[in-house]
Amino acid sequence: MKFLGLVSAALFLLCASSCGQRSNVYSLNDYGVSVNDTTNNATVTINNAIERILSEVPDGTPVVLTLEPGRYDFYPDSSMMREYYISNHDQVNPKMVGIALENLKNVTLDGNGADLMFHGRMLPVSLVSSRNCTIKNLDIDFVNPHISQITVVDNDTVRGIIRYKVAPWVRYEIRDSAFVAIGDGWEHIPDAGIAFEADTKRLVYNTSDISVGVRGVKMLSDSTIEARWHNPRLIPGTVVALRTYGRPAPGIFVDDDINVTLENISVHYAEGMGLLAQGSENIYLKGFNVCLRGDNDPRYFTTQADATHFSGCKGVIVSEDGLYENMMDDAINVHGTYLKVVDVIDSCTILGRYMHPQAFGFSWGNPGDTIQFISSRTMELVGEPRVISEINPVDTSCVAGAKVFNIKLTAALPDDVDFDNGEYGVENLEWTPSVHFAGNVVRNNRARGALFSTPRTVLVENNLFDHTSGTAILLCGDCNGWFETGACRDVTIRDNRFENALTSMFQFTNAVISIYPEIPDLEHQQKYFHSNILIENNVFDTFDTPLLYAKSVDGLKFINNEIRRNNEYPAYHWNKQPVLLERVVNSEIQIVD
């Protein structure tokens, strides 16, 4: 009830700020934007129309920008060039942006079902440094995705030779006996693949990321490709998504915003996340989907990475009634970023550094923010929280692109901690959100279902996790590899249905629900990382044994859950215990099959 009250209050404030005045409605099509004209570059006409309209109304006046239903094509030529440093993406700049929404107040973009089709390598939509803005009723897709889809025709498991056909929309060449995927302004040889069952579009059991037959290939007379490729699980009819691990840009980028609503949006493909939001406050997803184009869509994949990802946000994140399917990573990931303490300047000043190559260049904190130090080896908090008095980039002239920050505190560093040994991180406690993830369907995706790393209230309820391939829900925390904060302090997982998770092994997949912080030196840990976790009234329909894995938790309840066993796949997981606990105290566990 406390969390629901917080959400209701935030929604009231959002409504009050954006609905207090009557909105002015403008059709972008009246300003030169053509519909269903694939030769017209909507990148130019839509951005020009938005700029002209907003110049005609007083700043902050509520405005609704509409599109007629239909198709709009966006090309890299004459796109909006922007330098964006985007969390958990490849930091390659500049970005070619389709629709750049920046420095706006009280603006709604209503697509009325518009189909936005992108070409080449682009960031479809950005919403940056804006307040009380809404994007709704539109689809985002790419004409020629950077993932190549093939279908296995024949598999000679004795000789290790597979013949396959390439999907008709895929552009490619056989060059120096290698399969080369090509597009407007890009080309690559795929690194790996994900195999899908032909009839269900689920990942093939016990496959995970597979090697692919893209080198030493030859084209046969019947337009099939023959490759030296040994994998007995790839029966004829299996569909394989050939991919790299690159993620240059999400479908929608949200940065430095307050009160964002994304409603009735479907992202069918993006070369990174479907949505990446960072440094923003109060984000509401209602019917936000990362999904195929219905049951008859010939594609078997959606985004190259997570469906939705929230880095260093605060306030509330609400995700309701979404469909997240066939993406190459998780449905939702909520976290902050640990900086590594790399130097001590004086008793009140440290240097903190972004460590992961896909996480740097964006704002980490502000004066007045509360921070907390942590031991990277034991993942234990050290000292009392401190407050930032000044923070400035060291290696660049501005925050954009920065990796190292000079952070001055209002109080001295704890004198009993040896920060010079390079084994400590620092977390910003201000930029940590509450999360409500409810009424969503997560299915047929690679890796995991939902990841949460925030000390504030997390409520996960009434969702369907259907063949997520890895762990359905992960509570993590890592100050050594991904450097993603932090400890969960108040999590409720209730009234969800879990159907046959763990069909493949991925990172952190020790059980259907995995509470798995990275702790290199668990033996010497004295405190506990996560706390106050309730898992109740869920249905687990599973072919294998492990239901719950938990490490370093103080306060864990697993009660009133229904366990159903099935024979859809052979049991294979190394973990043979329904509940496996490591350093867990104050627990209540009920298992009734």
Side-chain angles (χ1 to χ4, degrees):
M1 295 300 293
K2 178 181 177 181
F3 182 80
L4 294 177
L6 176 63
V7 173
S8 298
L11 288 170
F12 174 79
L13 291 173
L14 175 62
C15 183
S17 61
S18 61
C19 303
Q21 305 177 51
R22 185 174 181 180
S23 297
N24 297 282
V25 180
Y26 296 84
S27 170
L28 296 175
N29 300 94
D30 293 339
Y31 287 77
V33 178
S34 300
V35 62
N36 297 324
D37 180 359
T38 59
T39 63
N40 180 272
N41 189 353
T43 307
V44 177
T45 55
I46 285 182
N47 285 285
N48 287 346
I50 292 173
E51 181 179 2
R52 180 180 169 187
I53 291 167
L54 295 181
S55 70
E56 297 174 355
V57 298
D59 183 42
T61 301
V63 172
V64 177
L65 308 171
T66 69
L67 285 167
E68 294 177 8
R71 173 169 167 162
Y72 300 84
D73 283 72
F74 297 77
Y75 296 87
D77 296 341
S78 303
S79 62
M80 310 294 285
M81 305 295 286
R82 293 291 188 270
E83 183 180 5
Y84 291 149
Y85 288 86
I86 304 177
S87 182
N88 293 79
H89 281 75
D90 301 332
Q91 305 299 9
V92 178
N93 277 298
K95 304 283 195 297
M96 292 178 285
V97 184
I99 302 177
L101 304 173
E102 300 172 331
N103 303 302
L104 305 181
K105 294 180 181 178
N106 306 322
V107 173
T108 296
L109 174 62
D110 187 347
N112 289 310
D115 207 359
L116 311 185
M117 299 296 298
F118 293 84
H119 298 256
R121 175 167 279 154
M122 299 183 70
L123 193 170
V125 179
S126 66
L127 180 64
V128 175
S129 299
S130 297
R131 305 293 181 260
N132 307 323
C133 291
T134 297
I135 304 173
K136 63 182 182 179
N137 301 327
L138 55 82
D139 287 11
I140 291 173
D141 203 352
F142 279 72
V143 174
N144 181 27
H146 313 82
I147 295 175
S148 301
Q149 183 171 303
I150 65 169
T151 300
V152 174
V153 175
D154 181 71
N155 187 349
D156 186 337
T157 58
V158 175
R159 294 192 300 155
I161 293 176
I162 289 178
R163 290 187 298 121
Y164 58 84
K165 279 190 176 293
V166 183
W169 64 84
V170 176
R171 294 168 55 188
Y172 70 98
E173 297 176 358
I174 304 300
R175 189 186 307 162
D176 297 326
S177 299
F179 177 95
V180 182
I182 60 175
D184 297 335
W186 64 271
E187 65 175 42
H188 60 243
I189 299 174
D191 299 319
I194 291 293
F196 294 94
E197 298 173 349
D199 53 347
T200 67
K201 295 191 175 180
R202 297 170 181 160
L203 270 68
V204 173
Y205 162 77
N206 202 12
T207 51
S208 304
D209 296 298
I210 62 173
S211 61
V212 291
V214 293
R215 298 183 186 274
V217 306
K218 61 181 179 180
M219 181 72 73
L220 303 181
S221 59
D222 60 354
S223 297
T224 61
I225 294 175
E226 182 176 279
R228 293 196 172 277
W229 184 5
H230 185 267
N231 190 329
R233 300 184 191 279
L234 305 183
I235 64 174
T238 301
V239 174
V240 181
L242 307 178
R243 60 191 291 259
T244 69
Y245 292 99
R247 47 174 78 171
I252 298 177
F253 175 48
V254 169
D255 182 31
D256 184 32
D257 297 318
I258 299 176
N259 297 337
V260 176
T261 299
L262 303 175
E263 181 179 351
N264 192 26
I265 294 173
S266 291
V267 179
H268 301 299
Y269 175 76
E271 202 181 0
M273 316 291 186
L275 163 69
L276 189 288
Q278 67 187 30
S280 297
E281 180 177 357
N282 299 336
I283 303 171
Y284 307 93
L285 308 186
K286 181 68 174 178
F288 184 91
N289 310 305
V290 171
C291 64
L292 303 170
R293 289 181 175 270
D295 294 338
N296 296 321
D297 190 342
R299 288 189 200 162
Y300 280 61
F301 61 87
T302 55
T303 54
Q304 172 76 297
D306 296 353
T308 66
H309 198 111
F310 303 87
S311 174
C313 295
K314 69 176 183 178
V316 296
I317 294 171
V318 178
S319 175
E320 296 180 328
D321 302 326
L323 171 59
Y324 304 112
E325 63 179 352
N326 293 74
M327 56 278 181
M328 298 292 118
D329 234 315
D330 320 314
I332 181 172
N333 188 346
V334 181
H335 65 87
T337 303
Y338 290 114
L339 299 183
K340 183 176 182 179
V341 179
V342 294
D343 199 4
V344 176
I345 305 303
D346 58 42
S347 64
C348 293
T349 309
I350 62 167
L351 292 186
R353 182 183 181 90
Y354 280 123
M355 297 303 296
H356 195 277
Q358 290 180 327
F360 71 88
F362 46 88
S363 176
W364 184 83
N366 304 297
D369 289 354
T370 299
I371 59 94
Q372 175 73 64
F373 295 106
I374 189 169
S375 164
S376 59
R377 292 197 57 77
T378 63
M379 295 300 285
E380 294 174 292
L381 300 180
V382 295
E384 296 300 318
R386 300 293 196 271
V387 176
I388 298 174
S389 63
E390 294 181 31
I391 179 168
N392 296 291
V394 172
D395 54 330
T396 59
S397 59
C398 61
V399 170
K403 293 183 179 179
V404 183
F405 293 90
N406 182 295
I407 305 172
K408 186 175 181 63
L409 307 174
T410 59
L413 299 168
D415 55 13
D416 59 343
V417 178
D418 181 13
F419 287 105
D420 292 329
N421 65 15
E423 295 183 356
Y424 292 91
V426 57
E427 174 184 9
N428 191 324
L429 299 178
E430 174 71 18
W431 292 90
T432 55
S434 299
V435 184
H436 189 204
F437 189 75
N440 301 289
V441 175
V442 183
R443 67 188 183 195
N444 305 340
N445 64 295
R446 171 188 176 274
R448 295 156 297 266
L451 283 65
F452 303 103
S453 300
T454 175
R456 302 189 191 274
T457 302
V458 175
L459 177 57
V460 183
E461 61 179 350
N462 299 313
N463 303 285
L464 171 62
F465 294 89
D466 180 6
H467 291 77
T468 54
S469 77
T471 287
I473 296 177
L474 170 64
L475 308 182
C476 38
D478 174 17
C479 194
N480 297 278
W482 288 100
F483 285 84
E484 293 181 358
T485 64
C488 294
R489 304 296 188 203
D490 182 7
V491 177
T492 299
I493 300 169
R494 68 188 183 201
D495 299 322
N496 302 283
R497 184 181 181 89
F498 302 97
E499 294 191 2
N500 283 340
L502 297 177
T503 58
S504 291
M505 290 299 298
F506 292 96
Q507 190 179 26
F508 310 118
T509 52
N510 283 8
V512 175
I513 296 177
S514 189
I515 304 170
Y516 195 147
E518 286 277 27
I519 306 173
D521 190 4
L522 184 64
E523 179 182 356
H524 291 98
Q525 186 191 62
Q526 300 298 313
K527 304 173 187 176
Y528 297 87
F529 190 70
H530 292 301
S531 59
N532 193 23
I533 299 168
L534 172 62
I535 304 167
E536 66 174 353
N537 300 328
N538 302 283
V539 175
F540 293 80
D541 197 338
T542 178
F543 67 96
D544 214 330
T545 303
L547 304 173
L548 172 65
Y549 169 79
K551 179 197 297 183
S552 188
V553 182
D554 183 355
L556 172 63
K557 288 185 178 181
F558 186 91
I559 58 175
N560 300 324
N561 299 290
E562 181 179 354
I563 316 301
R564 301 175 182 174
R565 304 291 179 178
N566 65 65
N567 297 309
E568 184 171 344
Y569 305 101
Y572 78 102
H573 202 284
W574 62 265
N575 181 5
K576 304 304 181 184
Q577 301 183 49
V579 175
L580 177 58
L581 307 180
E582 295 186 75
R583 287 210 79 244
V584 174
V585 295
N586 299 317
S587 64
E588 181 182 352
I589 307 296
Q590 299 174 357
I591 298 292
V592 180
D593 281 292

